[in-house]
């Protein structure tokens, strides 16, 4: 069910900030996600004996729509930014 929830939050943000790019909306959602569950405990990884999840298991965390509405800082990344990154890393197709 995470995809419908994330899409709903993205639509909410687009409604409030119609000039924001998809990258800005993504940034607002990711940088304001909660790293704790609804009991204020750590998010658990059911694939790892219910131990605390690491970032690879939980992603950015639980989406928090209220915090995403006022994220403070967003990263509005453009395709040129990715190209500059790849060029800076001396990336080649082979």
């Amino acid at each position: 069910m995470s995809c419908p929830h994330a899409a709903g939050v993205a639509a909410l943000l687009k409604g409030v900030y119609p000039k924001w790019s998809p990258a800005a909306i993504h940034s607002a959602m990711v940088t304001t996600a909660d790293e704790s569950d609804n009991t204020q405990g750590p998010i658990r990884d059911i694939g790892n004996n219910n131990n605390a999840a690491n970032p690879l298991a939980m992603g950015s965390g639980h989406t928090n729509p209220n915090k995403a509405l006022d994220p403070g800082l967003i990263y509005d990344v453009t395709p040129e930014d990715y190209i500059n990154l790849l060029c800076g890393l001396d990336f080649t197709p082979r």
Side-chain angles (χ1 to χ4, degrees):
M1 279 298 287
S2 65
C3 186
H5 289 100
V9 173
L12 172 72
L13 290 173
K14 189 65 172 177
V16 174
Y17 301 107
K19 294 185 178 183
W20 276 14
S21 69
I25 291 170
H26 175 261
S27 174
M29 291 172 63
V30 170
T31 58
T32 58
D34 292 326
E35 295 180 3
S36 55
D37 64 14
N38 60 351
T39 65
Q40 302 309 312
I43 295 174
R44 301 287 175 182
D45 183 359
I46 61 171
N48 187 18
N49 296 324
N50 261 359
N51 291 320
N54 63 34
L56 294 175
M58 70 175 179
S60 61
H62 286 287
T63 302
N64 188 326
N66 292 328
K67 285 170 56 178
L69 286 170
D70 186 20
L73 175 68
I74 57 168
Y75 301 102
D76 197 7
V77 181
T78 64
E80 290 80 24
D81 294 323
Y82 287 109
I83 292 169
N84 291 336
L85 171 67
L86 293 173
C87 289
L89 295 173
D90 291 326
F91 178 80
T92 61
R94 294 181 186 210

